Amino acid sequence: MMRDIGLRHRLFVLLEPQAWPHKGLSPLNKFITALICFAALIAILESEASVLQENTHLFLGVEAVLTIIFTAEYGARIWVAGEQEKYRGLIGRLRYMASPSALIDLMALLPLLLGLLGSQAFLLRLFRLFRVLRLAKLGRFSRATTAIIEALHVRRYELLMSVVVAAVLLLFSSTLLYIVEGDSQQDAFGSIPRAMWWSIATLTTVGYGDIVPVTALGRALAGFTALLGIGLIAMPTGILASAFSDAIQRQRQSEQSTEDGKSD
């Protein structure tokens, strides 16, 4: 029993980035990271029909091997989760399986299931999508991902206010263009929902150009809306940049404190 617990703890240290006592990733996690990138590259190459036709059996074999490895990793992570107090026992394991990181790991196994369901075009595209989305597994290995999540949590109220302001501006600009341009361009501005496509493209500074005002007043309002869009994009960008910088700084201070504690 002691040997089993010891093995589980050693595997936990190798699999859990926060438990690894050295800088960077453990050798096992480095291997998993490389494998994730390789799996995404294979999925990208397979989307090219000419490449797939010439190497169908090779791609199927590689996918089978990757699925076996990711399945083993998923099972190992569930097993070693018991090293953490909140994930011990059956209920704890179920709690771990419902955590975001475990759900992402489970998502990496879905391509095999989709492949078994059939060969319809939609399923094949969904199959490749999930294979590329395996890159989400890299999130647990990245300090930047942790910092982004922390930044979003800390500034969630400011970001929510930005969304509210954006929604109000979207509705307001759509309504104005509906009033001004509705009679001139029924297809594009004949209703507020129709005008919203133009407002979204303008406020986000995308500017597709497929819908443009034709009246003088409509163009004046369009220019004002475009200027508002610049500020609308800058507002959440500034909030996130500041929060992200603060999160990175806190991480560095925490690491420095840990290193100072070890040296003492």
Side-chain angles (χ1 to χ4, degrees), residues 117-154:
L117 288 178
S119 58
Q120 294 89 341
F122 174 75
L123 284 177
L124 288 175
R125 287 195 294 269
L126 199 59
F127 170 83
R128 291 178 184 129
L129 169 65
F130 276 109
R131 291 176 65 184
V132 173
L133 288 179
R134 282 172 173 165
L135 288 172
K137 285 167 62 65
L138 295 175
R140 63 155 50 89
F141 306 130
S142 173
R143 288 175 53 197
T145 302
T146 304
I148 290 173
I149 294 173
E150 182 181 345
L152 289 173
H153 178 73
V154 171

Side-chain angles (χ1 to χ4, degrees), residues 29-251:
N29 278 334
K30 287 180 180 178
F31 170 73
I32 293 173
T33 300
L35 209 63
I36 292 168
C37 295
F38 175 71
L41 177 61
I42 291 296
I44 293 169
L45 292 174
E46 190 178 329
S47 65
E48 183 59 52
S50 59
V51 177
L52 177 60
Q53 290 173 0
E54 296 177 1
N55 304 278
T56 302
H57 295 296
L58 175 61
F59 281 121
L60 288 175
V62 170
E63 178 59 27
V65 172
L66 289 173
T67 301
I68 291 172
I69 295 175
F70 287 137
T71 301
E73 181 210 358
Y74 179 69
R77 290 189 183 278
I78 293 175
W79 181 50
V80 303
E83 289 294 311
Q84 302 178 71
E85 182 67 32
K86 60 181 178 179
Y87 295 137
R88 289 179 181 168
L90 177 60
I91 301 300
R93 293 302 202 286
L94 293 175
R95 189 182 299 118
Y96 171 78
M97 292 171 68
S99 66
S101 60
L103 291 176
I104 290 174
D105 288 337
L106 181 61
M107 183 181 68
L109 308 180
L110 290 180
L112 178 63
L113 178 61
L114 291 173
L116 294 175
L117 288 178
S119 58
Q120 294 89 341
F122 174 75
L123 284 177
L124 288 175
R125 287 195 294 269
L126 199 59
F127 170 83
R128 291 178 184 129
L129 169 65
F130 276 109
R131 291 176 65 184
V132 173
L133 288 179
R134 282 172 173 165
L135 288 172
K137 285 167 62 65
L138 295 175
R140 63 155 50 89
F141 306 130
S142 173
R143 288 175 53 197
T145 302
T146 304
I148 290 173
I149 294 173
E150 182 181 345
L152 289 173
H153 178 73
V154 171
R155 299 298 176 89
R156 61 190 182 278
Y157 297 115
E158 292 92 335
L159 291 172
L160 178 61
M161 185 58 64
S162 299
V163 172
V164 172
V165 171
V168 171
L169 288 176
L170 174 64
L171 181 60
F172 188 64
S173 61
S174 301
T175 303
L176 286 178
L177 264 296
Y178 159 67
I179 293 171
V180 174
E181 294 281 331
D183 293 334
S184 303
Q185 300 187 72
Q186 278 289 328
D187 291 340
F189 298 101
S191 67
I192 294 176
R194 292 181 195 175
M196 279 186 178
W197 167 249
W198 171 88
S199 295
I200 291 172
T202 304
L203 285 171
T204 56
T205 69
V206 174
Y208 286 113
D210 54 341
I211 300 174
V212 293
V214 294
T215 65
L217 182 56
R219 289 177 178 176
L221 289 172
F224 182 67
T225 302
L227 291 175
L228 284 178
I230 298 173
L232 185 66
I233 296 299
M235 182 167 53
T237 302
I239 293 172
L240 281 176
S242 175
F244 183 69
S245 177
D246 292 344
I248 290 292
Q249 188 64 33
R250 282 192 293 271
Q251 282 187 355

